Amino acid sequence: MAICHREIVRKFLAIVFLLLPLLWLTWAWKPLPPDGDSSRVRVDWLTPQVPPAERAALGAFTLQGLWRLQSDNQRFGGYSALVALPSGHFLAVSDRNGWLGFGPQLGAGAHVMPTGRTLVRRLRKGPNESFDVESVVRDPVDGSLWTGLESEWHVARIDPETGLAGFHAVPPLVDWPENGGAEAMARLADGRWIMLCESCGGGRGGLHLGLLFAGRPGLSPSQKFGILTPAGFDPVDMAPLPDGRLLILTRGFNLFPPRFTSRIVLADMATIDPKRPLATQELARIEGPALRENYEGMAIRTEADGRVGVWLISDANDTAFQETRVMQLWLDPARLPPKE
């Protein structure tokens, strides 16, 4: 079984998360409790520190902002997914199932940001309701939030009106590695959904496995397919562009010296063929010392003037060696490769 980059770095940094075998669970609906907690967050403006060479490596993207976020709140950090909300704000979700809300104007200084201890809740034996959330998608049809979960073969849907969390089985996920679950998930403009495994396929030559759903995951048929990302890089999040193609955020890890690097690639689901892996095109590299971090969440928002904003957030893994960072990029659609 392939070992994912996250497992490697956690072992190296001596942060061992014990993954116990899952008990037989009783899945049910349960309303989320009201949660009015908040975090005091210090925001530092890092953009001036980024040299021209690292900006140039962003290719079709232009760096708009880079911020470091810090807080003493124990619920803060570990963000593995990012969602753009209709209000203009963002929802960051941690791999500990907590969440943080913030706006697009991240000025330097002290801020109070809403923080929650639980995004998705389930009924099960015992008091422990925590589990690893790796991907979150907002369905524009009804505003519901759909979450992909590590070490689970279900996806969770959160109703926007009631806050009820329902779980839907996705049988093909039973065969996915415990540490390689639904790391990236997206809804396409035509109503299909896509899910990518972080470590399925072993990453040989960049090969990863995915599922393409005719509709909502767990409620519609799925089709397996392969996808090629840059060798040594795993998919960690993705989001659709206005032209229907997908941006995929991928992550690599080097052990000596320990560091993360990222690539952003482009995929066109219109060219998918079950007989051969789907090719991707590299658009950007995030690998210099000023920019690089463990980016795991990505959200896309098209502004009123037509500009495409791409936002990234990093997972600091609860270590002193990493930081929670937010990056804002502008994407020039004219610099994208033409559709095939």
Side-chain angles (χ1 to χ4, degrees):
M1 178 185 299
I3 300 177
C4 69
H5 291 155
R6 168 170 290 179
E7 184 177 352
I8 294 174
V9 71
R10 283 178 175 171
K11 287 184 178 180
F12 178 79
L13 298 174
I15 299 177
V16 179
F17 291 88
L18 299 179
L19 298 175
L20 298 176
L22 295 176
L23 300 175
W24 184 261
L25 305 179
T26 301
W27 299 90
W29 296 83
K30 188 170 183 180
L32 296 178
D35 194 340
D37 198 4
S38 61
S39 293
R40 286 191 169 275
V41 180
R42 175 183 172 181
V43 178
D44 297 313
W45 173 247
L46 305 180
T47 311
Q49 303 173 17
V50 182
E54 293 190 38
R55 295 171 185 258
L58 295 173
F61 301 86
T62 301
L63 179 66
Q64 179 68 15
L66 179 67
W67 300 268
R68 176 174 56 230
L69 279 59
Q70 298 172 292
S71 177
D72 293 330
N73 192 323
Q74 293 184 350
R75 298 181 189 172
F76 179 87
Y79 301 113
S80 56
L82 188 64
V83 180
L85 302 175
S87 64
H89 288 71
F90 292 92
L91 177 71
V93 184
S94 78
D95 52 18
R96 298 189 301 271
N97 197 20
W99 58 270
L100 174 78
F102 63 91
Q105 303 301 324
L106 282 173
H111 298 262
V112 176
M113 300 181 181
T115 305
R117 69 182 182 276
T118 305
L119 179 71
V120 183
R121 172 167 286 193
R122 67 187 176 195
L123 290 176
R124 61 170 296 177
K125 297 179 180 179
N128 182 15
E129 295 170 345
S130 66
F131 48 105
D132 193 336
V133 176
E134 290 296 342
S135 53
V136 182
V137 176
R138 180 183 179 274
D139 189 341
V141 174
D142 61 2
S144 57
L145 293 177
W146 291 72
T147 67
L149 311 172
E150 194 86 278
S151 304
E152 303 280 356
W153 56 286
H154 294 72
V155 292
R157 175 189 180 272
I158 301 177
D159 187 273
E161 300 295 332
T162 66
L164 293 172
F167 293 79
H168 303 285
V170 183
L173 296 184
V174 174
D175 297 326
W176 286 18
E178 283 195 353
N179 290 336
E183 186 78 20
M185 184 167 61
R187 180 189 183 275
L188 304 178
D190 60 9
R192 294 180 299 168
W193 289 63
I194 180 176
M195 186 181 294
L196 298 181
C197 177
E198 181 181 18
S199 57
C200 301
R204 294 183 298 274
L207 176 65
H208 290 80
L209 300 183
L211 293 172
L212 180 63
F213 299 87
R216 289 172 167 177
L219 300 176
S220 60
S222 64
Q223 161 191 340
K224 297 179 181 179
F225 70 96
I227 186 170
L228 294 173
T229 61
F233 287 80
D234 297 327
V236 291
D237 208 354
M238 58 185 170
L241 288 168
D243 69 4
R245 290 181 288 182
L246 274 174
L247 278 189
I248 304 175
L249 175 65
T250 68
R251 175 189 60 192
F253 179 70
N254 298 93
L255 194 58
F256 299 108
R259 67 186 186 277
F260 289 96
T261 55
S262 303
R263 306 275 176 90
I264 300 177
V265 301
L266 181 70
D268 189 350
M269 296 304 296
T271 65
I272 192 168
D273 183 343
K275 297 180 181 179
R276 58 181 60 88
L278 179 68
T280 62
Q281 296 173 278
E282 181 182 309
L283 299 180
R285 296 188 175 194
I286 305 171
E287 55 189 10
L291 281 180
R292 66 185 178 220
E293 247 304 341
N294 180 28
Y295 296 102
E296 289 200 33
M298 180 174 67
I300 294 176
R301 183 163 55 219
T302 304
E303 305 297 337
D305 60 5
R307 292 183 300 172
V308 178
V310 179
W311 293 73
L312 309 179
I313 194 166
S314 68
D315 177 358
N317 284 319
D318 293 324
T319 74
F321 306 98
Q322 297 173 248
E323 297 177 340
T324 298
R325 291 189 175 190
V326 173
M327 185 188 303
Q328 182 188 12
L329 304 169
W330 288 122
L331 172 60
D332 181 0
R335 299 183 64 183
L336 291 175
K339 287 187 174 183
E340 295 184 9

